[in-house]
Amino acid sequence: MTASPDLGTPRLASPDLLRSAFRRHAAGVAVITARGADGPVGFTATSLTSVSAEPPMVSFGVGTGASSWPAISTAEHIGVHILGEHQAELAATFARSGADRFGAPTGWRDGHEGVPVLDDVLVWLVCRIVARVPAGDHRIVLAEVLAGDPSRAGRPLLYHQGAFNGLRD
C-alpha cells in the first residue's frame, strides 16, 4: 500500500479505525423501542436507514451485546423515533448503559401492537420486524412500517464527533 502525501498515512482496518472514521460522519439520531418480557426496552441508534418505499421498510443495526438485544431478537414489532434537536438529553439517556430509559422525565405511551411510543419526537413509526441479518457483532434489523406520525415540526438531532448537535444552516 502506498500513500499519497495529501492523503495521510493509511491505517489497517480495526474497530478503532472504523470508530474514528464514523465520528466524522454526521448521522441522524433515532431511538428504537420494543416491548420486552420485563417491560419496555430501547436504545439510541444512528444507523437508521430507509430501505424500500414499496413496501415501506427501514433498517437499523443493533449490537448483540446490547441490553436491548434480547427483546429485539424476539420482538415482532418495534418503534422507531426520529429525534428533534431539542432531545439531546433523551438521546443520551437511551445511549447510557444502565439508565432508567422509560422513567421520568421520559414521556411515552403504549402504541400500536403494544410498542412503546415516545412523546414529542419529530417522527414515530411502528414497524413489524421481517428479518434479522447477522453482521459481525451486530444484527441488521429490517422492519416494515405499519403506522406512524411524521407531522411534528422541527429540526433533526444529529450525532457528529461524539456529540449530539442541531442542524445548522
Side-chain angles (χ1 to χ4, degrees):
M1 190 182 311
T2 61
S4 299
D6 58 334
L7 294 180
T9 304
R11 293 166 40 188
L12 295 177
S14 70
D16 182 56
L17 171 62
L18 188 64
R19 280 190 287 274
S20 294
F22 274 85
R23 285 179 69 84
R24 290 164 176 77
H25 174 72
V29 180
V31 169
I32 309 299
T33 61
R35 176 66 58 187
D38 297 325
V41 301
F43 64 96
T44 299
T46 56
S47 59
L48 180 66
T49 304
S50 171
V51 173
S52 169
E54 191 56 46
M57 294 181 79
V58 298
S59 72
F60 59 88
V62 57
T64 56
S67 62
S68 297
W69 172 243
I72 300 291
S73 73
T74 60
E76 291 184 33
H77 298 90
I78 50 98
V80 174
H81 308 83
I82 298 174
L83 302 188
E85 65 185 353
H86 64 287
Q87 295 179 302
E89 187 53 42
L90 182 67
T93 297
F94 276 83
R96 198 170 20 257
S97 181
D100 181 5
R101 295 171 178 158
F102 290 89
T106 302
W108 65 281
R109 66 192 180 289
D110 285 327
H112 295 22
E113 304 295 340
V115 170
V117 173
L118 301 176
D119 294 342
D120 200 30
V121 295
L122 289 184
V123 176
W124 64 262
L125 304 169
V126 171
C127 306
R128 180 180 60 86
I129 294 178
V130 297
R132 296 170 186 87
V133 181
D137 61 355
H138 279 59
R139 295 296 181 268
I140 305 302
V141 177
L142 295 166
E144 181 178 4
V145 177
L146 303 177
D149 182 3
S151 64
R152 185 169 170 83
R155 295 162 67 95
L157 183 64
L158 300 178
Y159 187 74
H160 181 251
Q161 292 287 20
F164 298 112
N165 298 283
L167 186 64
R168 296 186 191 108
D169 290 329

